Amino acid sequence: METIKIVKIGGNIINNKEALDSFIANFSKITGPKILVHGGGKLASELAKKMEVPVKMIDGRRVTDEATLDIITMVYAGKINKNIVAQLQANKVNALGFTGADAQTIVSVKRPSKPIDFGYAGDIVKVNTSTLELLLNNGITPVFCAITHDTEGNLLNTNADTIASELAIAFGQNYSTELYYCFEKDGVLRNVDNPDSVIEEIDLNTYQELKNEQVIFEGMIPKLDNCFHALKNKVYQVHIGKTDMLFNQQTKHTLLQL
Amino acid sequence: METIKIVKIGGNIINNKEALDSFIANFSKITGPKILVHGGGKLASELAKKMEVPVKMIDGRRVTDEATLDIITMVYAGKINKNIVAQLQANKVNALGFTGADAQTIVSVKRPSKPIDFGYAGDIVKVNTSTLELLLNNGITPVFCAITHDTEGNLLNTNADTIASELAIAFGQNYSTELYYCFEKDGVLRNVDNPDSVIEEIDLNTYQELKNEQVIFEGMIPKLDNCFHALKNKVYQVHIGKTDMLFNQQTKHTLLQL
């Protein structure tokens, strides 16, 4: 099976022009089919502040009322997505920007309003890869922002980590899928205060042990649950670390496999 | 040759939820390949005001400084484009949003800063139809906003009428191309104060006469020049009028042909 790389980048890259330029230059050198997924970084909150729309977060997740949905649609699908597409084109990557509404690629349902009402937040129910495969086979690189739709005309704010893993699962049917989560640390750390304490390999057993020992806790648990969910559903490998791991095989990072 | 319809809508539809809903419902009923091109309407100026970015227009065209480029990228490619895509999906049209940077579809050069410096304004130099044809052949409907790129990483604000005509010209190579400009009047009027005075057909000779008689003047001249430029470059027909002309053959409107 052909290998596809699905790469998710977050705020630490998007918020920093130098980091983004460097990432894009390197991402462009990856050969073979690839998909980029980006979050929104601080820009959405900055625009909300300028427009005097209150920013409300619960458990680290944005509550998306109608005004906030407008803002994230402008920032994620407009400013961030199209600037990344233009930069990739300048680096000879034939990029094409997507929300989940585009070509019906990612369908969600609005999250139930109980126990917590997150507003226009979407939980993914279906990924359609056919148009994406057609484009990949023709040398196009899809670039997804963190927005999906419900097929009834509503855009929905959707976690970028989940978009990356659900894309990876869907591509797992026809490809050997490698999923990369790029963030500001070298990987999952045994000791959060020691950047050199990267855990280089985690499988299901060691994951359980690390949770029992409370080495992995709080915000990392849903992130790693998401990764193991992907691995249990035909994704070949998940890598977590700084973007260098994508381009330099010697870079220390965390590799997850079953 | 297969027929393709390229439809441009402007502010009178985009700024009015009812008009947009009605347009989308009707556009969805058009069978065969079609492309939608939309302008930005008043939303960009409204957002600029909220963000305290001065709006500067010269000869009816926006001067696009860096802050303004951010705003139009957010409004055109984000808010307007993605909401139209989601609405089309709800009406069973498999839409996919584009700027000219996406899939390298429309390449421009930044307009020379003399005699007037319009800032990040793009003049189209190349339209690549190959990816668009691939998508159209697979049942996808491209939806373009009024942004292109220079292939060097810069997005450029580009007149939506021109995007529509340049797309039509490029598709004229392989398709019988019909270009529709939807606006708030029933067509080109012989007397601007009389909405019933639609000129139903204009060819090159009558266009010259109408200009000589000053029936056509000011802002309509560049618009019609743009239409005749398309007709001289393999576009089959240009239609100007209210959106009803698209769905009801009996609707009075202006038909341009050589």
Side-chain angles (χ1 to χ4, degrees):
Chain A
M1 282 204 288
E2 197 172 12
T3 296
I4 186 169
K5 288 185 167 67
I6 295 175
V7 180
K8 188 260 172 175
I9 56 171
N12 65 312
I13 297 170
I14 292 164
N15 297 330
N16 179 330
K17 190 186 167 341
E18 235 171 79
L20 184 59
D21 287 353
S22 155
F23 169 77
I24 284 173
N26 281 312
F27 179 80
S28 303
K29 291 178 197 147
I30 298 174
T31 53
K34 56 194 173 191
I35 294 177
L36 182 58
V37 180
H38 63 83
K42 288 183 294 193
L43 284 166
S45 300
E46 282 172 17
L47 182 62
K49 200 175 164 188
K50 270 191 199 160
M51 294 180 70
E52 298 178 3
V53 172
V55 174
K56 193 173 167 194
M57 310 284 283
I58 300 177
D59 300 339
R61 296 204 165 193
R62 193 181 295 274
V63 177
T64 310
D65 62 10
E66 206 173 321
T68 304
L69 183 64
D70 262 5
I71 286 171
I72 68 148
T73 305
M74 292 196 291
V75 172
Y76 296 178
K79 181 167 170 165
I80 298 173
N81 190 267
K82 295 314 174 189
N83 277 294
I84 289 176
V85 166
Q87 290 295 329
L88 285 169
Q89 292 290 356
N91 283 273
K92 311 286 179 217
V93 173
N94 199 355
L96 171 48
F98 279 86
T99 65
D102 293 288
Q104 193 80 302
T105 40
I106 308 179
V107 178
S108 308
V109 290
K110 190 166 179 285
R111 191 169 305 154
S113 58
K114 303 261 168 87
I116 300 170
D117 188 356
F118 283 101
Y120 292 98
D123 292 319
I124 296 172
V125 291
K126 192 164 196 302
V127 175
N128 298 308
T129 60
S130 59
T131 302
L132 296 171
E133 289 190 35
L134 179 73
L135 291 165
L136 288 161
N137 289 340
N138 283 274
I140 307 264
T141 296
V143 178
F144 274 86
C145 67
I147 294 173
T148 60
H149 78 140
D150 67 358
T151 76
E152 286 162 20
N154 299 302
L155 298 167
L156 294 168
N157 188 4
T158 304
N159 183 268
D161 286 358
T162 314
I163 288 181
S165 64
E166 292 296 332
L167 280 169
I169 289 168
F171 275 94
Q173 302 297 321
N174 295 331
Y175 290 78
S176 169
T177 306
E178 298 175 8
L179 176 57
Y180 292 84
Y181 286 106
C182 301
F183 77 148
E184 67 280 10
K185 291 177 186 162
D186 283 324
V188 179
L189 301 180
R190 185 167 286 279
N191 172 357
V192 285
D193 298 320
N194 178 3
D196 291 332
S197 66
V198 174
I199 306 168
E200 294 191 52
E201 290 192 24
I202 305 178
D203 63 19
L204 259 181
N205 287 332
T206 51
Y207 180 43
Q208 195 52 53
E209 286 166 22
L210 290 163
K211 281 195 289 188
N212 292 346
E213 296 166 25
Q214 299 192 23
V215 171
I216 292 171
F217 59 101
E218 289 180 357
M220 278 312 284
I221 291 178
K223 279 187 188 286
L224 292 181
D225 280 351
N226 181 39
C227 296
F228 279 104
H229 171 66
L231 291 168
K232 287 176 194 162
N233 287 278
K234 301 204 176 181
V235 173
Y236 174 56
Q237 290 180 328
V238 181
H239 301 259
I240 302 179
K242 287 197 178 140
T243 57
D244 293 356
M245 68 179 167
L246 272 164
F247 323 116
N248 180 351
Q249 299 239 328
Q250 307 309 313
T251 308
K252 207 187 251 194
H253 69 279
T254 302
L255 168 65
L256 307 183
Q257 48 196 14
L258 287 186
Chain B
M1 280 204 288
E2 196 174 11
T3 296
I4 187 169
K5 289 185 164 69
I6 295 175
V7 179
K8 188 260 171 175
I9 56 171
N12 65 311
I13 296 171
I14 291 164
N15 297 330
N16 179 331
K17 190 186 168 340
E18 234 171 81
L20 184 59
D21 287 352
S22 155
F23 169 76
I24 285 174
N26 281 311
F27 179 79
S28 303
K29 291 178 197 148
I30 298 173
T31 54
K34 57 194 173 188
I35 294 177
L36 181 59
V37 180
H38 63 82
K42 286 183 294 190
L43 283 167
S45 299
E46 282 172 16
L47 181 63
K49 200 175 163 189
K50 269 191 199 160
M51 295 180 68
E52 298 179 0
V53 172
V55 173
K56 194 173 167 193
M57 310 282 284
I58 301 176
D59 299 339
R61 298 205 167 190
R62 194 181 295 274
V63 177
T64 310
D65 61 11
E66 206 173 320
T68 304
L69 182 64
D70 262 4
I71 286 171
I72 69 147
T73 305
M74 293 196 291
V75 172
Y76 297 178
K79 181 168 170 163
I80 297 174
N81 191 267
K82 296 313 173 188
N83 276 292
I84 289 175
V85 165
Q87 290 295 329
L88 285 168
Q89 292 291 357
N91 282 271
K92 312 286 178 215
V93 174
N94 200 355
L96 173 47
F98 279 84
T99 66
D102 292 286
Q104 193 79 301
T105 40
I106 309 179
V107 178
S108 306
V109 290
K110 189 166 179 287
R111 191 170 303 154
S113 59
K114 304 264 168 82
I116 300 171
D117 188 356
F118 282 101
Y120 292 97
D123 292 319
I124 296 172
V125 291
K126 191 166 196 303
V127 176
N128 298 308
T129 60
S130 59
T131 303
L132 296 170
E133 290 189 34
L134 178 73
L135 291 165
L136 288 161
N137 290 339
N138 283 274
I140 308 266
T141 296
V143 178
F144 274 87
C145 67
I147 295 173
T148 61
H149 79 140
D150 67 359
T151 76
E152 286 162 20
N154 299 301
L155 298 166
L156 294 167
N157 188 6
T158 304
N159 183 268
D161 285 358
T162 314
I163 287 181
S165 64
E166 293 297 331
L167 279 170
I169 290 167
F171 275 94
Q173 302 297 319
N174 295 330
Y175 290 79
S176 170
T177 305
E178 299 176 6
L179 177 56
Y180 292 84
Y181 286 106
C182 302
F183 77 148
E184 67 280 10
K185 292 178 186 164
D186 283 324
V188 179
L189 302 180
R190 184 167 286 281
N191 172 357
V192 284
D193 297 321
N194 177 3
D196 291 331
S197 66
V198 175
I199 307 168
E200 293 190 55
E201 289 190 26
I202 305 178
D203 64 18
L204 259 182
N205 288 332
T206 51
Y207 181 43
Q208 195 53 54
E209 286 167 23
L210 290 163
K211 281 196 290 189
N212 292 345
E213 295 166 24
Q214 297 190 23
V215 171
I216 292 172
F217 60 99
E218 289 180 358
M220 277 312 284
I221 291 178
K223 278 186 187 288
L224 292 181
D225 280 352
N226 182 39
C227 296
F228 279 104
H229 171 67
L231 291 168
K232 285 176 193 163
N233 286 280
K234 301 205 175 182
V235 173
Y236 174 56
Q237 289 180 328
V238 182
H239 301 258
I240 301 178
K242 287 196 179 141
T243 57
D244 293 355
M245 69 180 166
L246 272 164
F247 324 116
N248 180 350
Q249 299 239 327
Q250 308 307 316
T251 308
K252 207 187 248 193
H253 69 277
T254 302
L255 168 65
L256 307 182
Q257 47 196 15
L258 287 185

